[in-house]
Amino acid sequence: MGLLDGKTLLVTGVLTEGSIAYHVARLAQLEGATVILTSFGRTARLTAAIARRLPHECPVVQLDVTSDEDLTLLAERVREHTDHLDGVVHSIGFAPQTVLGGNFLSAQWQDVATAIQVSAFSLKSLAVAAQPLMPPGSGVVGLTFDASFAWPVYDWMGVAKAAFESTSRYLARDLGPAGIRCNLVAAGPVKTTAATSIPGFEKIESGWSARAPLGWDMTDAVPTAKAVLALLSDWFPATTGEIVHVDGGVHAMGS
């Protein structure tokens, strides 16, 4: 019997086999879940190709989290494949290069606003769009990079992640009466497409494994994916508004 037998999950952000979202989808299927992916625009072809590499090929529905039309139609599009969602995984983030890599002081609001809309406000947008399909006991899980610190080169994406983490707490408050949980997983650095697109990200990665009491493998997204699935399982029925760190223990160390 799998951890997620009988559950149906909507997973965003699957672009490559190295992405955390891909391993969430893969392991979810191995644990008995039915998986539906989302994508849009030019990335849709990539997501469709990756969907064929999963243990079981799964459908891909159109969703641009900045599109009011896509958000309005999300429940209808998902209903073509299922009548409910037991879990939704938010693995979405984007910031223009002009607000990263040491450009904190020179960044312009228009670009900062893009980062915050895509990387933070979209958690609320996705949760509200999926809510009509989510029964009591279901959950939303998002992926973050600990926003408690000012990281090198992360700049306005760090600010967006702080907003993302706060958004999760408010969603936990407002969706809780409907029986819907909202939690986050704060992952250590993983060599994903999103991470490698940040100029100078190696400054964050540098020495992480040495600081981690458990060590840290930046090429292994599986531990993070497992935490996401655990939070979507029936084993955390009374946990919401939480941030689970999967970083080898670095968050708890003084240096």
Side-chain angles (χ1 to χ4, degrees):
M1 181 175 180
L3 186 69
L4 300 171
D5 274 354
K7 294 190 180 297
T8 302
L9 307 183
L10 183 72
V11 180
T12 66
V14 174
L15 291 178
T16 70
E17 289 180 276
S19 67
I20 296 171
Y22 170 80
H23 288 285
V24 169
R26 180 180 66 83
L27 293 175
Q29 289 185 339
L30 294 178
E31 290 294 334
T34 298
V35 173
I36 300 169
L37 306 181
T38 74
S39 194
F40 73 100
R42 290 179 295 178
T43 63
R45 293 179 61 185
L46 295 174
T47 304
I50 292 297
R52 292 191 288 271
R53 299 178 191 176
L54 289 167
H56 308 285
E57 186 174 355
C58 56
V60 180
V61 300
Q62 163 81 17
L63 177 63
D64 174 353
V65 290
T66 68
S67 165
D68 290 340
E69 180 181 5
D70 279 0
L71 291 164
T72 299
L73 293 174
L74 178 64
E76 179 182 330
R77 289 168 175 167
V78 172
R79 282 193 183 99
E80 295 177 8
H81 308 284
T82 184
D83 61 359
H84 75 285
L85 290 173
D86 300 291
V88 174
V89 179
H90 182 289
S91 182
I92 300 167
F94 172 76
Q97 296 285 303
T98 52
V99 304
L100 300 167
N103 291 316
F104 185 82
L105 295 179
S106 61
Q108 299 298 303
W109 168 243
Q110 183 176 356
D111 292 338
V112 171
T114 296
I116 292 175
Q117 180 183 15
V118 177
S119 306
F121 186 76
S122 63
L123 180 62
K124 189 281 296 187
S125 301
L126 178 61
V128 170
Q131 186 180 1
L133 296 170
M134 301 182 73
S138 57
V140 177
V141 176
L143 291 162
T144 189
F145 188 72
D146 196 335
S148 303
F149 308 97
W151 297 102
V153 308
Y154 212 43
D155 295 346
W156 285 98
M157 181 58 93
V159 176
K161 286 298 185 183
F164 182 73
E165 293 175 8
S166 183
T167 299
S168 178
R169 290 188 285 270
Y170 280 96
L171 283 172
R173 181 196 70 180
D174 288 357
L175 296 179
I180 300 172
R181 298 164 289 134
C182 188
N183 295 290
L184 302 180
V185 173
V190 178
K191 287 189 180 297
T192 63
T193 301
T196 56
S197 68
I198 298 172
F201 194 73
E202 64 275 3
K203 293 180 181 179
I204 296 177
E205 299 172 334
S206 176
W208 195 284
S209 181
R211 299 196 306 274
L214 293 175
W216 184 251
D217 183 353
M218 288 179 288
T219 66
D220 187 6
V222 169
T224 303
K226 285 183 174 180
V228 171
L229 298 182
L231 287 168
L232 291 174
S233 76
D234 294 332
W235 285 95
F236 284 87
T239 298
T240 195
E242 187 60 86
I243 301 177
V244 176
H245 288 79
V246 182
D247 63 358
V250 168
H251 74 282
M253 299 297 106
S255 61

